[in-house]
Amino acid sequence: MKKALIVLFAYFSIFSCSNSNDDITEVVTPPVVENKINLTSNYNDTTETVSLKWTLTGDNNYIYYKILRSDSQNGMQSEIGNSNPNQFMFTSTVPFGPYLEYQIIGIKANGEEIQSNIIKIERPEIKMLNLKTFDAQFDKNSGKLYLLDTNGKITLYDVNTGSVTHQVSTNATLGYSDLGIYNGNVELYVPRNDGWVDIYDGNDLTLKDQISFGMPLISTIYHNGKLYGSPNSNSSSSSNVIKSIDRTTKALVSQSSNYYYTGRMKKAVVGNSLQLYTITQNISPVDMNLYTFDLNGNYISHQSDSYHGDHPLNYRIFEAFPDGRIITASSGSVYNSQMIYQNDLPSGNSKLSSFDFDSNSIIAGSGNKTIEFYNINSYTKTKTINTKKYPYKVFNYNNKVVCISSVTQLNLQYYDYSDVIPESILIEIFDK
């Protein structure tokens, strides 16, 4: 009997414990939701804008958001704007460049910063060159483009491959250059302010030779085995001459009479003479002059224009037609071969930056991000090409136009009293 009672007690004890466990409620801790900012974007290539949108997870307790941008992978970020805690969208103009990153940072009341993911915008078709290009020469036979920088750098760019192939630093102040063919080879002639002309191989920029003119040079021209050098128009009066020097012997052939108006030169072959037109710089009024040499480099005559600044003249925007006419300035002002003013191109409110020619047209870069075509004889406009950026130099290339464009807008003028030089450039190529 005693043993039975013990067993019965044990049974009720087990049953009692089982019921007690069934009454216990398990406490479940909710998962912690991480504070996150999820960023998405929509890039519009036509308007060159990006729309940023973001969503939140976590406590969403932000007092404002910072919008950051970088122009290189993991590069230095700059703040381009901010938004209030209830604003989850931001639209921004996209700077012109091959690579950009955007990020949002949420700022909490305690100063904590929550970073979003990074959005990338990649445009490999944009090939910017960080060059302050003041002068350019183009070999229309090979597609090679020679770019001269204000810091004394010379860059060779192959238009056909879209790449820089060679580059040299001269450690000199350079003037306006010229291309020529000597002994069957293309050469680049680069004047310097210390009186020398450096001669570079057109294929790889190897320095082949140097010729001294004995005066500070702003411009050089090559023709028929002779180099012509012109000083800055504000040089001392004893140096205000144009000299011709033989490329082979380096001997002086002749020089002009001592006139006070030299400057940047452009050439035209008219009949049996070489006509060298100059436009002055850094003096007022701006003046144009004509120096005539025979084809062997012998000086013949000088003539000054009769206007002395009455019509637009700009040595930075300056080309000679094949027949000896001159076109200059942002107005597209045309003069005949004797420097008699003819008319301006019908460009309206557009300011023109550069000129080249084909058999039918004047090809003109415009500050309105266009390339304009004008009939070479009647001067009427015939065609417009839209560009991505601001044309600085244009070159005719078979059935195409090669355009050196400035990333930023240019301050184009009728008369040049300021530096109109791009901070950086890109090369654009268009079908005619």
Side-chain angles (χ1 to χ4, degrees), residues 323-396:
D323 63 7
R325 283 175 289 169
I326 293 297
I327 187 167
T328 182
S330 60
S331 53
S333 298
V334 179
Y335 299 76
N336 70 12
S337 61
Q338 295 302 306
M339 302 179 294
I340 303 301
Y341 172 76
Q342 304 292 290
N343 54 265
D344 295 348
L345 293 182
S347 57
N349 293 325
S350 299
K351 289 189 174 182
L352 306 177
S353 61
S354 177
F355 308 101
D356 200 5
F357 314 93
D358 62 19
S359 58
N360 299 310
S361 303
I362 303 168
I363 305 169
S366 164
N368 288 348
K369 294 199 287 189
T370 61
I371 297 172
E372 308 289 355
F373 289 71
Y374 299 89
N375 183 278
I376 199 166
N377 294 313
S378 69
Y379 308 129
T380 56
K381 186 185 291 188
T382 60
K383 185 177 181 179
T384 297
I385 296 175
N386 294 318
T387 61
K388 278 286 187 183
K389 287 298 172 183
Y390 304 92
Y392 179 58
K393 301 288 183 184
V394 292
F395 298 98
N396 177 51

Side-chain angles (χ1 to χ4, degrees), residues 155-167:
T155 301
L156 176 52
Y157 183 94
D158 191 322
V159 167
N160 299 305
T161 62
S163 60
V164 171
T165 61
H166 298 85
Q167 193 173 75

Side-chain angles (χ1 to χ4, degrees), residues 176 279-284 286 312-317 328-330 411-421:
Y176 291 94
I279 294 181
T280 58
Q281 67 275 14
N282 304 322
I283 64 172
S284 181
V286 182
L313 294 169
N314 189 326
Y315 76 97
R316 295 186 187 274
I317 308 172
T328 182
S330 60
N411 182 24
L412 304 171
Q413 300 181 12
Y414 292 165
Y415 303 89
D416 183 72
Y417 298 113
S418 64
D419 290 333
V420 188
I421 298 173

Side-chain angles (χ1 to χ4, degrees), residues 363 371 373 394-395 399-403 428-430 432:
I363 305 169
I371 297 172
F373 289 71
V394 292
F395 298 98
N399 62 341
K400 299 181 182 295
V401 178
V402 175
C403 180
E428 301 188 74
I429 303 173
F430 304 96
K432 286 186 181 177

Side-chain angles (χ1 to χ4, degrees), residues 32 43 64 83 101 150 183 263 331 382 400 415 417 425-426:
V32 176
Y43 168 62
Y64 72 97
S83 65
E101 289 184 348
T150 56
N183 289 340
S331 53
T382 60
K400 299 181 182 295
Y415 303 89
Y417 298 113
I425 61 170
L426 69 149

Side-chain angles (χ1 to χ4, degrees), residues 14-39:
I14 293 172
F15 182 78
S16 176
C17 289
S18 175
N19 286 341
S20 176
N21 288 339
D22 286 346
D23 292 338
I24 297 175
T25 301
E26 183 178 359
V27 178
V28 178
T29 303
V32 176
V33 179
E34 185 180 359
N35 291 321
K36 283 187 176 181
I37 301 175
N38 303 300
L39 179 62

Side-chain angles (χ1 to χ4, degrees), residues 88 138-139 147 195-196 214 220 225 227 293 343 428:
F88 306 103
F138 184 58
D139 184 349
L147 308 168
W196 291 83
T220 193
L227 272 172
F293 290 76
N343 54 265
E428 301 188 74

